[in-house]
Amino acid sequence: MGTRGIVPNLVISQRVIDKMAAAASQFMEDETGEAMIGIIDPGKYTNGVPTIYVLDTISPDETAVRHMHTFQQGDEQQDEIIWWLQENWHARRDYLRETAQGAEQAKWDEPLRYLGDWHKQPGYMIAPSGGDLMTALNWLDDEENEMEALLVPIVTIGHPATTASSEATVNYNTMPSGDGEFMRVDWWYIHREVAMFQPINPVVYPADKLPELTRYPWHLINPDRAETEMAQLQGDGLFVSLLLWNADKKLPLEICFMMARQGASKILMIGTHWDYPESAPFARVAPFRQMQTGDDIYDVFESLWAQSEPVTNPPDWQWTADTYLVDYVHALETHLGIRPSEAVSTDATDAKAVNVPVTIEADNDDISETADRTDEAIKDTAETEKEEHS
């Protein structure tokens, strides 16, 4: 993100400013903040001076800590959303390279990446604090992050109209917040080799003049539903893997489940769209293949997808938002004649209100252990995919 001593150009989507204002107004007394994501043009169109494009900002989950003088981003949901956005952006770049739009959109043919965090500070503290400096330097010194620089904008509220930006070049922008007051965003940039915050001048573009990122998927915005789905499937005796896949050659990507039973001759591959369960799932069936140690799950999925065939839904089958994937699996297995006679007959309606599978003659400890294993399986799957495709 730039080179030593050179402060990049900075372009901000109006969408980002609007989301900052919304978050700041929601937490008037406490500090808050969000992660920023965008791209960095190395200078192809600006005489070698890099340009940072801030395209969107991602709020933390409910584990975030917000107090008057403290803010902590929270758990791992932001990372998972960033990974989802990056995978979709990667697919978008591939598509644009293969179409006539590729030449027109070459400007945006750069990786989507995390750019830094913005946070709101109390009063008129328009510059990062000493603690912010230490946090930024520790982050940049961590080789695992593979970043040379960060954006660290500071949001403050309650400014008078005299603070509003004029035609002069400054490192901040303002936005009316009601009652004649303004929100102010001061933009700061720090490079590992400079090791100090430098002002960086923003230019705000209308949101429709910059690329729009894809919508968030159901399994991240409704994790309780995702855990329930996985618990029901595993509790029904299915081996399940969750992957992202461009199943219909349209964006966003689909959230797909590859599942099989012990000794089965077929593998079910069920896809869900980003707005599941409002939209119905779809299915394909492939010959069974045993996973070998060291197999890449995406390579296996791609091979099986190429061999698979679409499955027509059973007669009289109807999907509603109250239906679960385990219901769909049972209907498909019966329709295809591949449901083993010894399979557990699970009534999914009994498990819809909890995040654990239906079990036979299980005490509370057994159920708790099963739920814990399910939660870990979902997290392990996400972490493995994230490492393989980051």
Side-chain angles (χ1 to χ4, degrees):
M1 191 189 299
T3 57
R4 178 174 181 172
I6 299 177
V7 177
N9 300 316
L10 178 61
V11 176
I12 316 295
S13 171
Q14 182 64 50
R15 179 186 304 108
V16 171
I17 304 300
D18 293 341
K19 292 177 75 170
M20 286 178 170
S25 64
Q26 184 178 359
F27 300 97
M28 297 290 289
E29 300 298 328
D30 297 328
E31 291 194 21
T32 190
E34 299 180 346
M36 296 175 295
I37 192 166
I39 66 171
I40 302 171
D41 182 339
K44 293 180 295 187
Y45 305 99
T46 52
N47 297 321
V49 178
T51 300
I52 303 171
Y53 293 89
V54 185
L55 301 179
D56 212 336
T57 177
I58 302 166
S59 62
D61 61 20
E62 65 276 2
T63 63
V65 177
R66 297 181 176 92
H67 299 300
M68 183 171 291
H69 298 287
T70 303
F71 171 68
Q72 298 175 9
Q73 285 281 11
D75 212 340
E76 300 173 351
Q77 187 180 51
Q78 281 180 329
D79 290 339
E80 294 174 355
I81 290 175
I82 289 173
W83 179 64
W84 159 263
L85 294 174
Q86 287 174 326
E87 290 295 291
N88 278 275
W89 183 266
H90 180 74
R92 177 184 184 274
R93 292 172 67 194
D94 286 344
Y95 169 76
L96 291 176
R97 290 193 199 106
E98 296 170 359
T99 66
Q101 296 178 354
E104 301 171 10
Q105 298 291 334
K107 180 177 182 180
W108 311 117
D109 192 10
E110 300 292 342
L112 188 72
R113 61 180 70 194
Y114 166 76
L115 300 173
D117 295 341
W118 70 265
H119 69 278
K120 181 172 78 70
Q121 293 192 157
Y124 295 163
M125 295 176 58
I126 60 175
S129 66
D132 294 332
L133 177 61
M134 295 306 300
T135 299
L137 292 177
N138 289 337
W139 177 269
L140 294 172
D141 286 341
D142 189 339
E143 295 182 356
E144 291 185 1
N145 294 325
E146 298 181 347
M147 294 183 67
E148 295 182 345
L150 287 170
L151 284 177
V152 188
I154 302 298
V155 172
T156 48
I157 58 176
H159 291 274
T162 53
T163 307
S165 301
S166 64
E167 296 299 321
T169 300
V170 293
N171 75 314
Y172 66 88
N173 52 273
T174 60
M175 182 174 180
S177 55
D179 296 327
E181 296 183 338
F182 285 77
M183 177 189 78
R184 172 167 163 166
V185 186
D186 286 76
W187 294 87
W188 301 91
Y189 170 83
I190 184 169
H191 193 281
R192 180 195 302 151
E193 296 182 5
V194 177
M196 62 180 292
F197 289 114
Q198 298 172 274
I200 180 171
N201 301 330
V203 176
V204 179
Y205 277 25
D208 60 2
K209 300 299 182 183
L210 295 172
E212 182 178 2
L213 302 184
T214 191
R215 293 157 290 193
Y216 298 169
W218 69 270
H219 71 298
L220 295 183
I221 61 176
N222 191 356
D224 289 345
R225 173 84 187 212
E227 291 176 5
T228 299
E229 295 279 12
M230 187 70 81
Q232 289 178 351
L233 293 168
Q234 292 177 334
D236 200 54
L238 289 158
F239 296 94
V240 186
S241 296
L242 183 151
L243 310 92
L244 303 184
W245 196 255
N246 195 358
D248 59 4
K249 304 303 179 185
K250 300 177 183 178
L251 294 179
L253 300 173
E254 282 69 48
I255 301 91
C256 294
F257 295 80
M258 181 170 63
M259 59 188 73
R261 299 188 186 277
Q262 184 70 34
S265 61
K266 301 288 185 181
I267 288 180
L268 282 176
M269 310 174 82
I270 295 180
T272 62
H273 299 289
W274 70 275
D275 59 346
Y276 173 90
E278 297 304 319
S279 64
F282 57 93
R284 300 179 71 90
V285 64
F288 182 84
R289 169 180 167 177
Q290 185 72 41
M291 286 280 291
Q292 304 297 324
T293 302
D295 280 351
D296 181 276
I297 192 170
Y298 273 84
D299 290 342
V300 172
F301 189 89
E302 182 177 16
S303 173
L304 289 172
W305 188 268
Q307 302 174 55
S308 68
E309 297 179 351
V311 177
T312 303
N313 286 336
D316 301 325
W317 168 259
Q318 291 185 344
W319 178 264
T320 70
D322 295 326
T323 315
Y324 280 71
L325 289 177
V326 71
D327 303 315
Y328 190 41
V329 169
H330 292 173
L332 290 172
E333 288 180 324
T334 301
H335 178 57
L336 296 170
I338 61 173
R339 181 164 174 79
S341 57
E342 67 273 14
V344 176
S345 179
T346 301
D347 183 358
T349 59
D350 294 337
K352 289 176 183 176
V354 295
N355 292 338
V356 296
V358 173
T359 52
I360 306 300
E361 297 180 355
D363 59 26
N364 289 335
D365 290 338
D366 292 334
I367 293 177
S368 297
E369 291 175 5
T370 302
D372 290 341
R373 288 196 301 270
T374 300
D375 291 344
E376 289 301 317
I378 293 174
K379 291 178 181 177
D380 290 345
T381 299
E383 288 299 318
T384 299
E385 296 169 352
K386 190 172 183 181
E387 291 172 3
E388 292 173 350
H389 293 270
S390 62

